[in-house]
Amino acid sequence: MNPRDPRKPGSGHSDPVHELLGVSRVSGPRAILGLGEGGIDSDILDASLRTRLRAIHGQADQFEVATIQEACRVVEAAASALRSSVSPSRSSRSSLPPVRRADGSDQLPATPPKPAGPIASRVKPREAESETPEPLRANRRPAPVKPTPRVTEAHLTPFDRLVLSVLVAGGGWNSRTRGIIAGMAAQVGLDAPTLRRVVEGLAGFMRDRGSEGTIGETAMVPAPIMRNPSRVESAVLRVSDGITREFRGDSAASRLRLTILFASLAIFFGAVLIIVLTAPSPGVRDIETRRLAAEEAIADREAEALLGGSGAEIDGTYRATPSLREGVTLPAKFPRPPMFRGVGRPDASVFRLERMPAMMDEALQMALQLELDPAKLSERRASAWLDVVATGAETWPLMPADDRLRMVTAILEVFGHAENDAVAGKLLAAFVVEPSAPLRTPIDVWVRSFKAGMLGLMVATPALPESVRGPARQMIDESLAGSSGRNVQGGPFAALAGRALDRMASPLVEMIGVSEDLLVKDCWERWFDANRILRRDAGLQSSVLIALETLLQHARSLAVQGIASDVLGRLLYEVDWTAAGPDPEGLRAIYSRWMLDDGIPATNLWVLASLLDGTGRAGWFRPEFVPDPEEGMSDRRRVQELADAAWPESVGPLARGDFIPIEPHTLEEFDTRLVDVAELVDLANSPVQRLAALVAAERLASAAAFLALERRSDADAAIGDVVDQIMTGNVGVDLDPLPRPRQMANDGQWAQAWREAGSDQQLRRDLIAALRRNSIAGDLGPKDAEIFVNQVWRGPTQIRNDARAAALEIFGRGAVVAVELLDTADRASRNESTLAFIEAFTGVPMPNARSEDAEARIRAALAMHALSLLDLERSFVDQLADVVGVILRTRAEARLPGEPMSGRREPEDLAAMAADGVRRAATALFLASPPSVTLEEIDRRRIARRGLVGNGIQGLVAEHVAELEFLGFLIAAEVPSKRSEVRELLLEAAIARSVTPGGLEQAALEALAIARMERLRFVPRDTDPLGASG
Amino acid sequence: MRNHVMTLGASVLVSFAFGLIAAAPMGSEAKDWTSRLSVLDPARPLEYFELGEEVADAAATDEQRAIARRLFGIAGRIDPEGLGASAALALATLTTDLRAADRLRAAAAMLGDGITRPGGAADRTTVDPLTALEISEAFGGFRTGRTSKLRQLVDDPIRLRLLKTWDASLPGGVKWLAEQSRRSSRSRPDLAEDEILAMLRIEAGLLQGNQRTWSSMLDLDGDEPLLEIRVDRIDEMLLDGELLPYWRDGRWVATPRG
């Protein structure tokens, strides 16, 4: 019975082993192994065993493992059963199956026989047939095969199947397979023709049987002879085979398992990589470990302390809020430093800026139209005007300074022609501004500040009609009440625009937490933009501090990360908290005020101080300065004092303060005259010259006072007088002395004639008349004067009258007559007639004859008159002193407006009034920082100096010193950046006073010092109407 | 005779004895100052001042007055706020220089509170109207040969002292005027114009009283500058030089150990 073909599974048997083997278990070992009835040796047996096992394992995926194992066992059992009956194989070094002999001889040849087979037996006769007998194996007897015209499976020998497998695996007959098969043939001693016949036979077989049959035969290629594997090797082989099948991905399940396996490997290695890259180093881990341990220890200590104090368990929530820890409050912490930046440049404004040239043209056209017809403003023009204003308002911070100037000038030009109230009202309607109203867009910040600034400019421009200035002033009073800003750095535009920005701090703060964060940020950013354009140094800082204070007062949720804390962080960033800031003293005062302000929540102050400590913006700020928000005002006061004590002193220029802008050419002229007058003082070498220098210095001091009070015309007049005096010597007094009148010749001759006239009254009267007819002589000699004056005092009535008339008419400037009158005045009758004569002669008013001081006043007047005639320079002194008095009166009136100035006042009294005026202004100051010298000290010094005063000139000096010191106090307070210069000037003046040899020179130097002191706060006026924007 | 000699000798001896007795307390007072000076401590500035007052009250020599001045100066330097003004006033009383006294009083006003006008230089150059009239009439009479009023003027010691204020300005000085006032001749003196001017200036200045013109001020005061009190140097006004607050071995030293 031919064995069933094992290559046909699915025979339908219930025994899976049967199905796997293709034969029944009981069909015998030969059937199980696929062997025929022919003789077999051990080699054949082993080969068949291997073949069957391979075939069994090849179907492992179709049967269960137990079935496979059972089948293997059955096959092995069959091989074992046959092994005892088979003949041992001839040992052969070749692993290849023996080759059938070509002549069919069954004798064992000495050499390996050619394989028997149909192919070999069908080889055509060839010339080169070998005569060498081929060896045959002793136990192998080729099964006789019935000659058939076709090659079948039965005809195939193991060598044939091996060659067939090589051909199938190698893809047919090619150079590679040719080499392999040739090698195989050489091993078995097969010559080329024989090999050729084998190959041709196999080719026919392959054509006949197809791929299925070919492959089936190749599966039956006997495996190389192997020894029987041990149990371990078998197990390893089974595992190896299993892994091989798995990695081959023969089945879907194996492929799935492979996918899962590789995916798991990838994830594993990826995780390892991430851990390796991110894991902290051992050192860092150690530090973190120790930190955690320390925090735990601290927390434990706190818990112990609390437990020890209260005996109760600590509420964990309390420890999360600020708590005192050894005098230090835990600061507020944020995940990131609070800060924000808005959009750098608003695109819409940038685009709108391109329309500025067109807007300028529109404004020009409008100005021209209004100039022609001031009462008419068409709707189109009015609409265009709104566009012009809006364009300027939305773009002004982006413009260069020159363009800003042109734009502003163009707008003012339009207003310059708006004389009609209705037209002016329409134009002004575009500038209505409400700084405190809520902001809709970020550009609103620029728009409002621009409008406010323009209103300030309108009010401050005298060339504009009152139809514009009046309503503008009213608009300012309604929404931007305050100073006009004339004296603010940057002028009125900067002042009003800045004021609007300050008022906008409230709506900006109110937006926080209500409007979108992006809108809030952009609005604040525009606010910073505008402030930086308008202000610098202390002015800028002041504005930021206003906003900061508003935020501290009204903001909520500052302690959590959000827009509120970001705004706070940004505002803190904009302030210089170091000693080099613009105004450390002012900043300290403001910070102290916040700390003690009940209106600012303690939590907000805690956040403020925490940020100051944490951000490093104030290196001197220590954690001890952070207040505990849960404590009361006492703790705030305590930390405020600590911070105040540690606050750094200024090391840079102090806050600039309120400078007074002066027209550049005026300032230049003033500076030039300071030098000229100083030289005048230095060169003076006579009382008259020193007084003239004093007059010039007083004029310059008064000019400075007028400039400070913005009385331009008075200042210009005073400076003009100084210039005139320096150029021409004109001091307001004719200093050319009149020549002394000539004495009548032949002194004593007239006296002799008088004596000779005796009691002839008429003759005596004629003699007196002769004196009156003498137009040459204006004075008498001593002898004649003695007689003449005696008649003036004691002559008979008519003669006395004639003599007095002659004295008044002829001898009014006669010094000899005047001295004689003085020396013999005691002889005169004390009546109204005598007093009238003396008054007429001297020009000095006389009291009533019965007055107690009449005698002294008579002699004083006569003595002064005589002196003035004898010492001409003396009169100049008094005249110049009068000029000084006039100048001082104007300055006193300027410094003390409203103070009654009636009656004659001495120069030192007027100087005292001027000093009082400065003192009054000084007492009205709000001082952000304590002055180096108090007003009380200056008062004491003033009183002390008055005690040293010996006369009016020294009194003038003393009052000038007081005016100078009060002025120094005032300027040091208003212009902190000039404090050092104030001190230097005061010291310089003191040194000069101590070494100056004369009172007049002292007074002149003090007046100059007053002018220089005022000069400290003058700055050239910026021609750009937007001031600091340039 | 012999008795007279003996009496005289006894008187001399007694006087000498009394002199010794009188001298002894002064020597003991000096010793007292020394012992008290030695215990002075800068930590107690008031003791300097109080001792200075005692020394000033008892001072009979320039050396003692110098010690008193130094004690006041040290007190004022150590405690300018508390004792500066008082020290300045005390020093003003000890100085014979009127201008220095004025400056010290002014310094006292600057240093202290409640100390107002210390009595200024103006008081010295201002005379009452009656005196001014008398002087003017006397000068006028002198110029016209009538010397009776001048004689009365120079015979009055107070007015004579007042006239000596302008001794340098008056023709021939006050002495010459006094001599002229006693001459019997009634002739007018031969005065040069500048001499007449000098007299007129004084008359006019005095007659103007408190209403003096600047020309009169210049005539009478000669454009004297206002005394300057250097606020930054008041310490030096109180005590010039180094502050040596310890009295050791008869001298002032800087440290307790000398």
Side-chain angles (χ1 to χ4, degrees):
Chain A
M1 174 180 178
N2 291 330
R4 189 179 292 276
D5 190 344
R7 292 169 292 181
K8 293 182 180 178
S11 60
H13 291 274
S14 61
D15 184 11
V17 174
H18 185 166
E19 186 176 349
L20 175 60
L21 294 175
V23 294
S24 171
R25 301 179 191 227
V26 299
S27 59
R30 283 184 177 266
I32 292 173
L33 291 172
L35 294 171
E37 297 299 330
I40 59 176
D41 56 13
S42 62
D43 290 340
I44 294 172
L45 180 63
D46 292 334
S48 65
L49 173 63
R50 287 194 294 273
T51 300
R52 290 298 282 169
L53 288 176
R54 187 177 302 112
I56 290 169
H57 288 298
Q59 298 179 74
D61 56 341
Q62 300 177 19
F63 295 89
E64 296 180 355
V65 176
T67 304
I68 296 297
Q69 291 174 351
E70 183 63 21
C72 291
R73 192 187 62 76
V74 169
V75 169
E76 288 173 353
S80 298
L82 288 176
R83 198 174 300 281
S84 60
S85 62
V86 299
S87 58
S89 64
R90 182 174 298 180
S91 59
S92 172
R93 293 186 178 175
S94 173
S95 62
L96 294 175
V99 177
R100 191 191 303 273
R101 283 195 306 176
D103 59 355
S105 171
D106 55 1
Q107 287 186 354
L108 295 172
T111 59
K114 292 181 182 177
I119 297 174
S121 62
R122 286 173 63 196
V123 169
K124 291 178 182 177
R126 291 185 185 269
E127 299 174 359
E129 277 191 358
S130 170
E131 295 295 329
T132 306
E134 297 178 10
L136 288 172
R137 291 186 179 174
N139 295 330
R140 185 155 185 203
R141 294 180 182 181
V145 177
K146 195 172 187 178
T148 60
R150 298 172 57 210
V151 177
T152 65
E153 295 85 355
H155 297 94
L156 296 181
T157 66
F159 181 79
D160 293 335
R161 291 191 175 88
L162 186 62
V163 172
L164 187 62
S165 66
V166 170
L167 289 172
V168 171
W173 181 254
N174 51 45
S175 60
R176 181 167 171 269
T177 56
R178 185 172 58 245
I180 295 171
I181 294 171
M184 290 162 55
Q187 283 187 347
V188 299
L190 195 64
D191 58 1
T194 308
L195 178 61
R196 181 179 160 197
R197 286 198 298 275
V198 170
V199 172
E200 288 177 355
L202 287 175
F205 173 80
M206 289 166 67
R207 281 194 304 272
D208 293 338
R209 301 302 296 174
S211 60
E212 186 176 346
T214 303
I215 291 172
E217 287 301 319
T218 60
M220 301 187 68
V221 171
I225 297 172
M226 295 172 63
R227 64 177 174 84
N228 290 330
S230 66
R231 293 167 67 98
V232 174
E233 288 177 345
S234 299
V236 170
L237 279 173
R238 283 197 294 275
V239 170
S240 166
D241 289 342
I243 292 174
T244 301
R245 283 194 297 276
E246 285 294 321
F247 276 91
R248 261 206 312 267
D250 291 341
S251 62
S254 65
R255 286 193 289 275
L256 179 62
R257 286 190 287 273
L258 283 174
T259 302
I260 294 172
L261 174 66
F262 281 113
S264 303
L265 286 174
I267 293 171
F268 172 74
F269 283 111
V272 168
L273 191 65
I274 290 171
I275 290 171
V276 167
L277 291 177
T278 59
S281 66
V284 172
R285 281 198 295 274
D286 181 50
I287 290 170
E288 186 67 18
T289 304
R290 284 191 274 121
R291 184 187 69 80
L292 290 172
E295 286 189 351
E296 283 184 14
I298 291 169
D300 291 341
R301 282 202 297 274
E302 285 181 348
E304 289 174 5
L306 288 171
L307 279 174
S310 67
E313 195 168 295
I314 298 169
D315 182 7
T317 60
Y318 176 75
R319 296 178 64 186
T321 59
S323 63
L324 285 172
R325 178 165 57 91
E326 297 178 354
V328 177
T329 301
L330 290 175
K333 292 196 184 300
F334 296 90
R336 62 165 173 80
M339 173 56 74
F340 81 91
R341 291 282 179 183
V343 172
R345 285 162 64 95
D347 292 336
S349 293
V350 173
F351 292 135
R352 189 152 193 169
L353 193 60
E354 295 178 2
R355 301 185 64 233
M356 189 46 65
M359 295 296 103
M360 298 285 288
D361 287 339
E362 186 63 44
L364 177 63
Q365 293 301 320
M366 192 175 299
L368 291 173
Q369 185 183 11
L370 283 176
E371 186 177 14
L372 292 174
D373 188 358
K376 182 180 176 183
L377 183 67
S378 65
E379 289 300 320
R380 194 198 76 78
R381 288 286 184 199
S383 175
W385 172 249
L386 294 177
D387 200 8
V388 169
V389 174
T391 302
E394 293 179 13
T395 61
W396 68 273
L398 300 175
M399 299 180 194
D402 291 341
D403 290 347
R404 262 198 297 270
L405 176 62
R406 279 194 288 273
M407 175 198 60
V408 168
T409 304
I411 292 177
L412 291 178
E413 280 282 333
V414 175
F415 277 112
H417 300 292
E419 296 174 353
N420 181 275
D421 290 342
V423 169
K426 285 184 183 177
L427 295 176
L428 280 170
F431 290 90
V432 173
V433 58
E434 296 179 21
S436 303
L439 293 160
R440 295 187 306 273
T441 66
I443 292 300
D444 276 350
V445 176
W446 289 1
V447 171
R448 293 182 190 182
S449 56
F450 177 80
K451 290 182 178 179
M454 286 304 302
L455 287 175
L457 266 181
M458 290 177 216
V459 172
T461 305
L464 296 185
E466 192 58 30
S467 57
V468 172
R469 297 177 70 200
R473 202 176 293 117
Q474 191 175 355
M475 290 165 74
I476 289 175
D477 290 340
E478 287 173 0
S479 59
L480 293 160
S483 72
S484 65
R486 279 196 185 83
N487 294 334
V488 172
Q489 185 185 21
F493 183 94
L496 273 296
R499 193 176 303 157
L501 289 174
D502 294 342
R503 303 280 170 90
M504 274 187 257
S506 289
L508 283 168
V509 169
E510 289 168 4
M511 289 175 72
I512 296 174
V514 176
S515 301
E516 287 185 5
D517 288 357
L518 195 60
L519 177 64
V520 173
K521 288 179 186 178
D522 285 348
C523 286
W524 276 101
E525 198 65 46
R526 299 291 79 76
W527 186 85
F528 286 118
D529 290 341
N531 253 317
R532 275 194 287 270
I533 295 288
L534 294 170
R535 293 157 155 166
R536 294 191 201 108
D537 303 326
L540 179 59
Q541 178 173 286
S542 176
S543 179
V544 174
L545 291 174
I546 289 173
L548 200 50
E549 183 169 343
T550 307
L551 184 71
L552 290 172
Q553 286 172 341
H554 302 292
R556 292 177 291 276
S557 306
L558 277 182
V560 297
Q561 188 85 57
I563 186 63
S565 59
D566 286 344
V567 171
L568 177 63
R570 176 65 183 276
L571 288 169
L572 288 178
Y573 174 82
E574 296 290 338
V575 176
D576 190 341
W577 299 88
T578 67
D583 187 14
E585 291 296 324
L587 191 55
R588 170 166 62 182
I590 290 173
Y591 183 84
S592 298
R593 185 164 54 79
W594 290 344
M595 278 295 171
L596 304 179
D597 185 358
D598 286 335
I600 296 179
T603 304
N604 289 355
L605 291 174
W606 169 59
V607 176
L608 170 71
S610 301
L611 289 179
L612 280 176
D613 177 45
T615 59
R617 295 287 295 167
W620 53 270
F621 203 91
R622 299 204 298 272
E624 289 83 357
F625 304 159
V626 179
D628 191 336
E630 297 180 357
E631 296 290 332
M633 183 57 72
S634 61
D635 189 69
R636 287 163 66 163
R637 191 172 291 112
R638 178 184 66 83
V639 299
Q640 176 268 327
E641 290 173 358
L642 291 175
D644 191 78
W647 210 281
E649 295 291 333
S650 171
V651 295
L654 293 175
R656 294 180 66 84
D658 288 337
F659 283 99
I660 299 176
I662 306 295
E663 299 302 325
H665 68 274
T666 302
L667 203 57
E668 189 178 340
E669 186 71 33
F670 184 86
D671 291 340
T672 303
R673 299 314 155 200
L674 274 176
V675 175
D676 292 341
V677 173
E679 190 175 347
L680 210 63
V681 173
D682 192 44
L683 294 176
N685 57 13
S686 73
V688 172
Q689 289 180 358
R690 293 192 193 102
L691 271 166
L694 174 61
V695 166
E698 295 290 355
R699 282 176 170 152
L700 212 55
S702 295
F706 292 138
L707 286 174
L709 295 168
E710 299 182 13
R711 292 171 55 167
R712 298 286 184 259
S713 58
D714 294 330
D716 291 339
I719 295 175
D721 289 342
V722 174
V723 173
D724 187 32
Q725 179 178 344
I726 290 171
M727 297 299 180
T728 67
N730 178 20
V731 292
V733 171
D734 186 2
L735 297 179
D736 288 332
L738 288 173
R740 287 179 65 175
R742 184 180 297 180
Q743 287 185 6
M744 193 167 74
N746 303 320
D747 181 40
Q749 184 177 0
W750 185 88
Q752 181 61 31
W754 184 271
R755 280 192 289 273
E756 290 174 357
S759 59
D760 187 350
Q761 302 302 314
Q762 186 58 46
L763 187 59
R764 284 185 168 181
R765 290 185 70 182
D766 291 341
L767 283 170
I768 293 173
L771 288 177
R772 292 175 74 171
R773 286 194 299 271
N774 190 344
S775 59
I776 297 175
D779 198 8
L780 295 172
K783 295 176 182 177
D784 293 337
E786 181 182 351
I787 300 299
F788 174 78
V789 169
N790 190 44
Q791 302 308 310
V792 170
W793 291 137
R794 298 178 63 80
T797 303
Q798 284 190 338
I799 291 176
R800 185 171 66 241
N801 291 340
D802 291 345
R804 285 179 180 180
L808 290 173
E809 184 181 331
I810 305 298
F811 303 120
R813 294 186 59 249
V816 176
V817 171
V819 173
E820 187 65 29
L821 284 169
L822 170 65
D823 292 343
T824 57
D826 55 329
R827 294 176 180 172
S829 302
R830 292 301 181 254
N831 51 39
E832 295 302 325
S833 172
T834 301
L835 288 168
F837 165 73
I838 294 172
E839 183 172 324
F841 187 79
T842 63
V844 178
M846 288 291 108
N848 189 285
R850 297 187 185 83
S851 174
E852 292 181 358
D853 63 344
E855 208 55 46
R857 288 176 66 175
I858 288 171
R859 292 199 70 85
L862 289 170
M864 290 295 296
H865 183 71
L867 268 174
S868 68
L869 298 176
L870 286 171
D871 185 359
L872 297 176
E873 193 172 89
R874 197 170 188 279
S875 67
F876 296 154
V877 169
D878 293 330
Q879 291 180 62
L880 288 170
D882 290 340
V883 173
V884 171
V886 170
I887 298 170
L888 284 170
R889 178 180 286 269
T890 58
R891 187 155 89 237
E893 287 172 344
R895 293 212 190 276
L896 270 181
E899 191 75 13
M901 294 277 180
S902 59
R904 177 182 168 81
R905 292 176 186 262
E906 298 300 327
E908 62 268 26
D909 296 331
L910 295 167
M913 294 178 72
D916 291 340
V918 181
R919 190 188 189 286
R920 183 184 293 180
T923 54
L925 289 176
F926 169 72
L927 299 176
S929 59
S932 57
V933 178
T934 63
L935 286 175
E936 290 72 24
E937 289 179 41
I938 299 175
D939 288 335
R940 272 203 299 275
R941 294 177 194 176
R942 189 184 191 184
I943 292 170
R945 284 196 190 90
R946 282 176 176 171
L948 297 169
V949 167
N951 57 37
I953 297 174
Q954 294 174 357
L956 176 66
V957 175
E959 297 306 326
H960 274 356
V961 176
E963 183 180 356
L964 179 68
E965 291 187 339
F966 287 130
L967 200 56
F969 179 96
L970 181 76
I971 292 175
E974 288 193 337
V975 192
S977 61
K978 293 291 183 179
R979 279 182 191 156
S980 62
E981 292 171 73
V982 168
R983 278 195 296 269
E984 285 176 16
L985 204 155
L986 289 172
L987 181 61
E988 186 182 318
I991 294 172
R993 283 195 302 274
S994 64
V995 300
T996 302
L1000 288 174
E1001 189 176 349
Q1002 275 184 328
L1005 289 176
E1006 285 304 302
L1008 262 182
I1010 290 170
R1012 288 198 180 105
M1013 187 66 81
E1014 289 276 20
R1015 175 63 180 88
L1016 289 179
R1017 54 176 171 170
F1018 296 161
V1019 290
R1021 185 186 295 281
D1022 198 336
T1023 54
D1024 181 353
L1026 275 70
S1029 64
Chain B
M1 178 64 177
R2 189 174 180 180
N3 289 336
H4 286 301
V5 172
M6 289 177 67
T7 304
L8 181 62
S11 300
V12 169
L13 284 173
V14 169
S15 301
F16 185 66
F18 276 116
L20 285 176
I21 292 168
M26 289 181 67
S28 64
E29 282 178 4
K31 288 182 182 176
D32 289 341
W33 298 142
T34 300
S35 62
R36 292 183 65 183
L37 286 171
S38 301
V39 299
L40 290 173
D41 188 338
R44 299 183 296 275
L46 183 60
E47 292 180 0
Y48 286 85
F49 186 84
E50 290 174 343
L51 180 59
E53 285 183 320
E54 291 185 43
V55 172
D57 290 341
T61 64
D62 289 340
E63 182 183 354
Q64 291 174 351
R65 281 187 282 274
I67 290 174
R69 282 196 292 273
R70 187 164 192 94
L71 288 169
F72 290 133
I74 291 173
R77 282 275 291 267
I78 294 174
D79 185 10
E81 290 185 5
L83 296 172
S86 303
L89 286 175
L91 287 169
T93 61
L94 288 176
T95 185
T96 56
D97 185 341
L98 296 179
R99 288 168 64 88
D102 287 340
R103 296 179 68 159
L104 286 166
R105 278 189 283 269
M110 287 185 181
L111 288 170
D113 288 327
I115 300 176
T116 55
R117 191 181 178 83
D123 294 344
R124 294 195 296 276
T125 58
T126 304
V127 301
D128 61 279
L130 185 60
T131 304
L133 187 61
E134 288 175 0
I135 292 174
S136 178
E137 287 177 343
F139 283 0
F142 169 71
R143 286 193 292 271
T144 55
R146 297 170 293 160
T147 59
S148 60
K149 291 186 177 179
L150 182 60
R151 188 165 53 250
Q152 292 174 2
L153 199 68
V154 297
D155 287 343
D156 185 344
I158 297 176
R159 285 166 173 71
L160 182 63
R161 190 161 58 239
L162 180 62
L163 282 179
K164 286 183 178 178
T165 307
W166 305 287
D167 187 60
S169 302
L170 290 171
V174 175
K175 184 178 179 182
W176 181 79
L177 277 178
E179 290 173 358
Q180 291 296 310
S181 68
R182 291 179 174 80
R183 67 189 179 90
S184 58
S185 172
R186 294 177 64 81
S187 61
R188 294 188 175 196
D190 185 17
L191 295 174
E193 192 171 281
D194 55 347
E195 291 174 328
I196 296 174
L197 264 174
M199 299 177 75
L200 287 175
R201 288 185 179 121
I202 294 170
E203 288 177 57
L206 294 178
L207 286 169
Q208 288 173 347
N210 295 330
Q211 305 298 323
R212 274 190 289 173
T213 60
W214 279 27
S215 55
S216 295
M217 293 176 200
L218 293 174
D219 291 337
L220 295 182
D221 303 325
D223 197 18
E224 280 291 317
L226 177 69
L227 284 177
E228 173 61 20
I229 307 299
R230 290 285 299 274
V231 179
D232 55 330
R233 293 186 180 179
I234 284 184
D235 284 355
E236 295 176 10
M237 287 181 62
L238 298 177
L239 181 66
D240 196 11
E242 192 181 354
L243 175 65
L244 305 173
Y246 296 97
W247 176 264
R248 298 289 183 272
D249 299 328
R251 61 191 180 95
W252 295 98
V253 295
T255 61
R257 298 180 183 178

